[in-house]
Amino acid sequence: MGYTRYWQRTKKSITQNFVDEVNKIITDSRSKGITIRNGLGEGEPTVTLNKIAFNGDGARDLDHETCYFDNEETGFAFCKTARKPYDYTVRNVLKAAEKLGIITNVSSDGENEHIVSDTDYLNGKW
């Protein structure tokens, strides 16, 4: 099943405020039972002033495509999450980025859904 989030990356650089917001969102996601990894679905997410990259947990097939921001790329971007639990994190990171002017024109294939933990997803309760 596909599900994609879309946005337009502006020329505004990643700020410390955005880094702090992303770290808070990752902490919030984890408190809800959602595992967040780096762009490859392993280890820890990358959250720096130069690059932000994260995904779901690849070891449990909870990853899909990397949600990625850097200070070099602008223009149209997207992240296919297949409605896996880390979509909650992607959605909230995009909200923060939009609020800070780092991205515009945020959209998706459908409505935002309730939070799905890794456990609920794996047990088919979503």
Side-chain angles (χ1 to χ4, degrees):
M1 154 179 32
Y3 185 76
T4 307
R5 298 206 179 258
Y6 309 93
W7 63 93
Q8 187 78 26
R9 178 72 167 91
T10 69
K11 293 180 181 179
K12 186 171 182 179
S13 294
I14 296 169
T15 62
Q16 185 61 51
N17 190 21
F18 184 49
V19 167
D20 294 343
E21 286 299 312
V22 171
N23 282 319
K24 286 179 195 173
I25 292 164
I26 289 170
T27 298
D28 173 62
S29 298
R30 288 176 171 165
S31 76
K32 292 172 174 32
I34 300 168
T35 305
I36 302 300
R37 301 287 189 205
N38 67 23
L40 299 174
E42 307 166 341
E44 292 298 314
T46 303
V47 184
T48 70
L49 287 170
N50 295 315
K51 178 170 73 171
I52 293 175
F54 64 93
N55 206 327
D57 187 0
R60 297 179 5 188
D61 195 31
L62 295 172
D63 62 327
H64 206 69
E65 288 188 356
T66 303
C67 184
Y68 181 84
F69 296 89
D70 71 15
N71 288 324
E72 303 297 320
E73 296 182 28
T74 60
F76 177 77
F78 63 91
C79 177
K80 293 180 184 178
T81 65
R83 295 188 195 269
K84 292 185 178 180
Y86 82 105
D87 180 70
Y88 171 81
T89 311
V90 173
R91 177 182 60 192
N92 286 304
V93 166
L94 294 179
K95 282 183 192 177
E98 186 175 37
K99 182 178 177 182
L100 295 169
I102 295 169
I103 63 173
T104 61
N105 301 324
V106 178
S107 64
S108 69
D109 289 345
E111 298 296 318
N112 289 327
E113 295 186 11
H114 68 307
I115 299 166
V116 180
S117 72
D118 289 352
T119 302
D120 287 347
Y121 183 86
L122 290 169
N123 291 328
K125 295 180 182 177
W126 61 283

